[in-house]
Amino acid sequence: MLVLGLYTSLVLVSLVRQVVSAENHDTRASSCAELVQLRLENTTILSASHVSGPVNVSTPGSCQSQALVSSSLCRVQFVINTTSTSAVHAEAWLPDTWFGRFLGLGNGGLGGCVDYVNLDYGTSLHFAAVGSDNGHDGNSGSVFLDHPEVLNDFAFRAIHVEAVIGKQIVEAYYGLPHHKSYYLGCSLGGRQGTQEALKFPEDFDGIVAGSPATNFNNLQGWSAILGRFVGAPDPTGNPRFIPADLWNTIAAEVLKQCDELDGVEDGIITEPDDCQFRPEAIVCTAGQTTGCLTSAQIDALHEIYQPLFGTSGDLLYSRYDPGAEADGDAQAFFSGSILSFPNVRENNL
């Protein structure tokens, strides 16, 4: 009975919190505006205003000019001075109806763009969400040159300060601390999530670190080599080049060979590491000219689906995962051009 009573009390507290939030909607604008007076360590609140969604709002920086706000919320824009030569610009979106959960967001690419899509997604699910520019504006690495502290923000620090200051803003606005905190990021955001788990495990109760772009330097080299396997940068007349339509054939064969490795045919390769793809199954036979690959193209696939080793035998990067070729973004590797990020080579990152 004691356990049931405690649980019931917690549920009621949660419900009251939500009802109070909804009933005091008209006071949210003034409560939100008062956040500009908030004093936090090395932090300046640039603006705080209540937004009645759905509506598009203007955004700072060079990445985009506007963003969708689906839910009514308090939008707080702030800057954290991480050192005397570096700063992180961030936004906290605080929904009118809050379930007590905090969501920190990562970045993508070379990571100087606030993730407005997931700020909107998170707040639509009643998370108090915070995202930052990762310490610089735009998806370019040029700013890293001769600015080591900006690079440190990018490498590990931005998400940490975003979480620390973001949680303080959340508590100041709602008058209650969060009860659970989570992180969401993919690619660069996945690497950021991994760094958080290693360096600042107290920041989040749960971390979704999708497709982490770890070992960034070797990742760039591996990406270029994948293109070279199919003839990049100029595949014209190269017998190893695989046109885009044939990747559909490859994807179907990978799924055919590896879907049922987990005992269930469900269109999903549950564990790509268990998949030992045999491309010879789709080699062209005598008289066959469509829906199959030549021996040269089969050789290219063998190289793509194996780990990349250096000249001394050291592992440089793991293999291309079977199943990944079904993703529309796969053509970034196999279109015949070398995949690159702006200014990566110029800055030797």
Side-chain angles (χ1 to χ4, degrees):
M1 290 297 293
L2 178 61
V3 173
L4 178 60
L6 176 61
Y7 174 77
T8 303
S9 298
L10 290 173
V11 171
L12 287 175
V13 168
S14 179
L15 289 174
V16 167
R17 179 189 301 169
Q18 294 173 41
V19 170
V20 169
S21 181
E23 289 180 347
N24 290 278
H25 175 79
D26 291 340
T27 68
R28 286 299 180 192
S30 59
S31 298
C32 180
E34 290 174 0
L35 290 176
V36 296
Q37 303 172 23
L38 193 61
R39 297 293 178 262
L40 301 174
E41 184 178 4
N42 298 321
T43 300
T44 301
I45 306 297
L46 302 174
S47 69
S49 59
H50 190 268
V51 180
S52 296
V55 67
N56 286 316
V57 296
S58 60
T59 58
S62 63
C63 297
Q64 61 189 83
S65 60
Q66 62 180 15
L68 173 65
V69 179
S70 298
S71 307
S72 294
L73 52 81
C74 174
R75 181 191 185 193
V76 185
Q77 296 172 285
F78 57 102
V79 57
I80 308 165
N81 294 308
T82 50
T83 69
S84 61
T85 59
S86 60
V88 173
H89 290 77
E91 297 201 17
W93 288 18
L94 313 175
D96 286 0
T97 304
W98 181 52
F99 289 178
R101 300 174 299 180
F102 177 87
L103 180 65
L105 298 171
N107 306 90
L110 287 177
C113 299
V114 175
D115 188 356
Y116 287 105
V117 171
N118 280 315
L119 280 173
D120 187 57
Y121 171 68
T123 50
S124 73
L125 297 175
H126 309 291
F127 286 85
V130 179
S132 78
D133 68 356
N134 205 21
H136 66 283
D137 177 43
N139 200 20
S140 165
S142 59
V143 69
F144 300 147
L145 185 63
D146 296 328
H147 294 94
E149 294 300 339
V150 177
L151 186 58
N152 282 335
D153 283 341
F154 169 81
F156 69 90
R157 188 167 52 206
I159 302 301
H160 173 60
V161 297
E162 158 193 314
V164 171
I165 298 300
K167 290 174 183 178
Q168 294 177 46
I169 293 173
V170 167
E171 183 170 358
Y173 182 62
Y174 293 109
L176 293 167
H178 68 282
H179 65 80
K180 290 292 181 182
S181 63
Y182 303 96
Y183 171 82
L184 176 64
C186 184
S187 190
L188 167 62
R191 180 191 62 75
Q192 291 169 311
T194 302
Q195 286 291 304
E196 273 291 303
L198 292 171
K199 295 181 181 297
F200 308 106
E202 71 281 359
D203 282 352
F204 299 105
D205 298 302
I207 293 175
V208 178
S211 302
T214 51
N215 195 355
F216 194 73
N217 288 348
N218 280 2
L219 171 61
Q220 296 306 309
W222 172 78
S223 300
I225 292 297
L226 286 180
R228 293 287 292 169
F229 287 153
V230 292
D234 182 11
T236 305
N238 193 309
R240 296 166 62 92
F241 180 68
I242 304 174
D245 61 309
L246 278 180
W247 282 102
N248 295 328
T249 300
I250 297 166
E253 183 61 29
V254 170
L255 189 62
K256 177 182 176 182
Q257 293 185 23
C258 299
D259 184 358
E260 293 187 77
L261 291 177
D262 60 355
V264 180
E265 185 177 0
D266 54 4
I268 299 172
I269 301 175
T270 303
E271 182 47 75
D273 285 347
D274 292 339
C275 178
Q276 303 302 319
F277 176 48
R278 302 176 306 281
E280 291 83 3
I282 48 175
V283 68
C284 295
T285 58
Q288 187 180 10
T289 58
T290 60
C292 62
L293 280 75
T294 66
S295 58
Q297 292 168 329
I298 295 295
D299 289 341
L301 289 181
H302 276 297
E303 293 184 320
I304 289 168
Y305 291 106
Q306 68 179 2
L308 181 64
F309 293 93
T311 54
S312 60
D314 51 321
L315 177 66
L316 298 180
Y317 217 79
S318 57
R319 69 173 181 165
Y320 190 79
D321 273 346
E325 69 290 319
D327 191 295
D329 290 337
Q331 282 304 298
F333 297 104
F334 306 122
S335 66
S337 299
I338 298 294
L339 176 67
S340 64
F341 284 109
N343 300 307
V344 169
R345 286 176 294 176
E346 288 86 340
N347 292 300
N348 297 314
L349 295 177

